[in-house]
């Protein structure tokens, strides 16, 4: 019997990585390489490849035990976690305290323990000077039956909040991102000038038929599927991703999921959580964030069809029709099947990969199949009662695992870190997503658009002047990717992560960008981590737009201006209120 690697019960994620490393150490993949290659050469279904790896894993006893990793709700554990929150509170680590109190509410069984955790949460918000959030937590604590013996604290705290709020201005300026050019009649969240093209060099890609200046929103897309990253699940709603830790309520069944409203809770159970809930603890510990997104995408794909027979027949037709995002009228109430179709028809990058990469795909598919079959009764009793259903699941898991590296994107917000040289901004990733439109954009290390998270949606805004006939390029990596890494490092990173060799102008012809004169100075914006007011961000945003347009005229559309793009992104995220709880706390009195 194979010895499983030792792991603590509270390890956050990626047990699958440790199992895989242990398998490689004993050369287990060597046993199936020949068989996988043979199946591939014969054109056999991917389900047979997965069967091959699944049998090996079963023989070695490495399939994860959901009981071992499953967390049960417990008032005792809720109390322990609440005490951890109290320690954070006493040390003035109020963000950490809020997270701990929300986690405590999730583990609590009784309404009393839930209400006490939420009541403590209100105290943390009060110390953070986030008075409206404090009042919302007080309201929820009462709704869950806050103990009579403790209610005096809430009354005093609520009165103090109302007094502080009366001192603040009632009118706040709000930035509402919107597409700044005419939109498509059938796709009202995409610029009218954008069209889909296809050729041998770029495959399917998006170009504009009209000139678009820098600083222009050209698309605002709600993704097909998205999933929160583990570290934010006690800060954000699992359905809409709103950063509203003050109004989050726990799932009654699992201790890992919170919702901002009953409607978000109902939607989650309809779309994914009814399947994920029984194995949520195992999912977070076993899989990476990208794998969690694949898992949820496949669940949603199955739920889009009435039964296995219908799904199998329709998938054949969908692959034959090859409809993409631009094929549908998005003003209509599309069916779940129609919404899934562009995601299913995302193009995989290149031919079948090397033996070990094929093994890894089968390895992760085997883990997912096992959990759905053995522990998700609501799913297995509906879809996995026949061999055909099992094979359909295996094939779909393999399909989405294969395209996942090129199709997903991150949701990010602004955060900052204090260094000796001063405070600096950096990305804080909080979610992963698939989107039918964004997946059509190709990569460039010198992109002409930037992605920004807008609540649950993704906005695409230009950072260079784009001429009619030019392709829309995004950067799969952060803005500073182009200047922090040399060409070789960039290409190796992109090849390992996304399985392609970058041939963008910056990589293919670096000599053209080496010694361009800088004749327009540097962009300065009036936004710092401790002073990210709406007014400062608006001023910085306008300055950045003017600067980026000037750079495009001065250099042309292909020269990287990473520093300016980073500052532009910071200002835009602040305008969209797209910042972490830490920044909200730091700027509670003058954020607007």
């Amino acid at each position: 019997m194979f010895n499983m690697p030792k792991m603590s019960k509270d390890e956050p994620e990626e047990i699958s990585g440790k199992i895989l490393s242990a398998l490689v150490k004993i050369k287990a993949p060597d046993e199936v390489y020949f068989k996988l290659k043979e199946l591939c050469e014969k054109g056999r279904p991917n389900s047979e490849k997965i069967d091959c790896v699944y049998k090996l894993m079963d023989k070695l006893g490495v399939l994860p035990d959901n009981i071992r990793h499953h967390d049960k709700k417990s008032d005792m554990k809720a109390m322990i976690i609440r005490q951890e929150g109290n320690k954070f509170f006493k040390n003035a680590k109020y963000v950490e305290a809020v997270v701990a109190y929300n986690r405590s509410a999730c583990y609590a069984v009784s309404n009393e323990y839930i209400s006490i955790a939420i009541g403590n949460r209100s105290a943390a918000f009060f110390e953070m000077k986030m008075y409206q959030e404090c009042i919302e937590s007080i309201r929820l604590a009462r709704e869950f039956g806050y103990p009579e013996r403790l209610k005096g604290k809430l009354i005093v705290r609520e009165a103090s909040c109302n007094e502080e709020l009366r001192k603040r201005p009632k009118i706040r300026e709000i930035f509402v991102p919107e597409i700044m050019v005419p939109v498509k009649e059938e796709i009202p969240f995409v610029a009218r000038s954008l069209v889909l093209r296809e050729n041998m060099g770029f495959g399917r890609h998006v170009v504009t038929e009209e000139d678009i200046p820098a600083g222009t929103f050209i698309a605002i897309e709600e993704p097909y599927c998205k999933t929160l990253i583990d570290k934010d699940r006690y800060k954000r709603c699992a359905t809409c991703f709103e950063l509203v830790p003050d109004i989050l309520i726990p799932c009654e069944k699992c201790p890992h999921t919170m919702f901002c409203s009953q409607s978000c809770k109902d939607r989650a159970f309809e779309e994914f959580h009814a399947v994920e809930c029984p194995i949520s603890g195992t999912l977070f510990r076993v899989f990476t964030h990208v794998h969690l997104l694949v898992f949820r995408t496949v669940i949603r794909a199955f739920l889009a069809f009435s039964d296995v027979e219908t799904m199998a027949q329709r998938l054949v037709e969908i692959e034959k029709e090859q409809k993409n995002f631009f094929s549908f009228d998005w003003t209509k109430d599309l069916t779940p099947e129609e919404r899934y179709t562009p995601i299913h028809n995302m193009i995989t990058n290149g031919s079948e990969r090397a033996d070990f990469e094929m093994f890894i795909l089968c390895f992760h598919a085997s883990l997912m199949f096992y959990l759905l079959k053995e522990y998700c009764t609501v799913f297995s009793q509906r879809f996995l009662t026949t061999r055909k259903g099992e094979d359909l699941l295996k094939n779909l898991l393999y399909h989405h695992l294969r395209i996942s590296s090129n199709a997903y994107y991150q949701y990010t917000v602004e955060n900052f870190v204090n260094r000796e040289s001063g405070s600096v901004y950096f990305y804080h990733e909080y979610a992963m997503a698939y989107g039918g439109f964004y997946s059509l954009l190709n990569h460039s290390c010198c992109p002409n658009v930037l992605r920004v998270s807008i609540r649950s949606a993704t906005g695409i805004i230009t950072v260079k002047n784009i001429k009619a006939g030019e392709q829309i390029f995004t950067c799969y990596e952060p803005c500073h990717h182009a200047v922090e890494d040399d060409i070789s490092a960039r290409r190796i990173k992109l090849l390992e992560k996304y399985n392609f060799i970058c041939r963008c102008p910056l990589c293919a012809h670096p000599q053209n960008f080496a010694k361009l004169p800088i004749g327009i100075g540097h962009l300065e914006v009036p936004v710092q981590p401790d002073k990210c007011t709406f007014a400062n961000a608006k001023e910085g945003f306008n300055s950045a737009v003017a600067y980026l347009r000037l750079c495009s005229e001065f250099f042309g559309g292909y020269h990287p201006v990473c520093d300016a793009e980073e500052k532009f992104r910071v200002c835009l995220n602040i305008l969209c209120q797209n910042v972490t709880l830490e920044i909200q706390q730091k700027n509670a009195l003058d954020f607007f």
Side-chain angles (χ1 to χ4, degrees), residues 36-44:
L36 290 177
K37 187 175 181 180
E38 183 182 38
L39 290 170
C40 190
E41 289 175 349
K42 290 181 178 180
R44 302 303 299 165

Side-chain angles (χ1 to χ4, degrees), residues 66-82:
N66 186 57
I67 297 174
R68 177 185 178 188
H69 301 298
H70 179 66
D71 282 332
K72 292 183 179 179
K73 286 178 175 278
S74 160
D75 279 345
M76 178 61 71
K77 187 161 187 177
M79 182 177 69
I80 292 171
I81 297 170
R82 189 174 74 238

Side-chain angles (χ1 to χ4, degrees), residues 249-260:
I249 55 176
C251 171
E252 291 98 337
K253 298 180 180 180
C254 77
H256 309 108
T257 312
M258 304 193 81
F259 309 103
C260 70

Side-chain angles (χ1 to χ4, degrees), residues 266-466:
D266 293 343
R267 182 182 162 197
F269 271 89
E270 179 184 345
E271 293 183 354
F272 58 87
H273 196 59
V275 178
E276 292 182 3
C277 190
I279 58 171
S280 58
T282 305
L283 288 176
F284 280 116
R285 291 191 177 94
V286 169
F287 295 115
T288 66
H289 307 129
V290 177
H291 294 143
L292 288 173
L293 180 61
V294 169
F295 187 85
R296 184 170 295 178
T297 300
V298 172
I299 290 171
R300 290 200 60 188
F302 269 83
L303 295 177
F305 300 88
S306 57
D307 55 71
V308 168
E309 290 292 337
T310 302
M311 182 177 185
Q313 180 181 346
R314 282 297 301 134
L315 287 182
V316 172
E317 294 169 356
I318 286 170
E319 291 171 6
K320 183 178 180 180
E321 294 165 355
Q322 279 297 303
K323 290 184 178 179
N324 57 63
F325 172 82
F326 285 90
S327 303
F328 294 93
D329 183 351
W330 293 89
T331 62
K332 296 180 178 178
D333 187 17
L334 299 182
T335 66
E337 177 191 322
E338 289 172 324
R339 292 182 179 276
Y340 169 67
T341 296
I343 304 302
H344 186 82
N345 285 334
M346 290 178 184
I347 297 177
T348 55
N349 189 18
S351 58
E352 192 69 67
R353 298 185 178 189
D355 292 345
F356 184 62
E357 292 182 78
M358 195 190 313
F359 175 84
I360 291 175
L361 292 176
C362 293
F363 168 80
H364 290 299
S366 296
L367 291 175
M368 295 178 188
F369 171 78
Y370 173 75
L371 290 173
L372 285 168
K373 181 175 172 60
E374 298 297 328
Y375 298 107
C376 296
T377 306
V378 67
F379 186 88
S380 60
Q381 289 184 350
R382 180 175 172 185
F383 298 111
L384 303 181
T385 56
T386 65
R387 176 69 185 188
K388 185 172 186 176
E390 292 185 357
D391 286 346
L392 185 62
L393 173 59
K394 293 169 189 172
N395 287 326
L396 205 59
L397 285 168
Y398 192 96
H399 172 73
H400 283 289
L401 282 165
R402 193 171 172 213
I403 66 176
S404 62
S405 64
N406 299 87
Y408 78 89
Y409 56 86
Q410 302 96 342
Y411 277 70
T412 60
V413 293
E414 295 303 326
N415 203 358
F416 68 92
V417 62
N418 290 313
R419 295 177 178 168
E420 291 183 4
S421 57
S423 298
V424 295
Y425 284 103
F426 68 93
Y427 284 111
H428 170 79
E429 296 178 0
Y430 66 89
M432 299 283 185
Y434 284 147
F437 172 75
Y438 188 78
S439 69
L440 297 170
L441 303 186
N442 282 325
H443 165 85
S444 171
C445 297
C446 182
N448 51 24
V449 299
L450 183 73
R451 187 186 69 250
V452 61
S453 306
I454 305 171
R455 299 184 181 277
S456 62
T458 294
I460 310 297
I461 189 167
T462 57
V463 290
K464 293 180 175 68
N465 299 336
I466 308 176

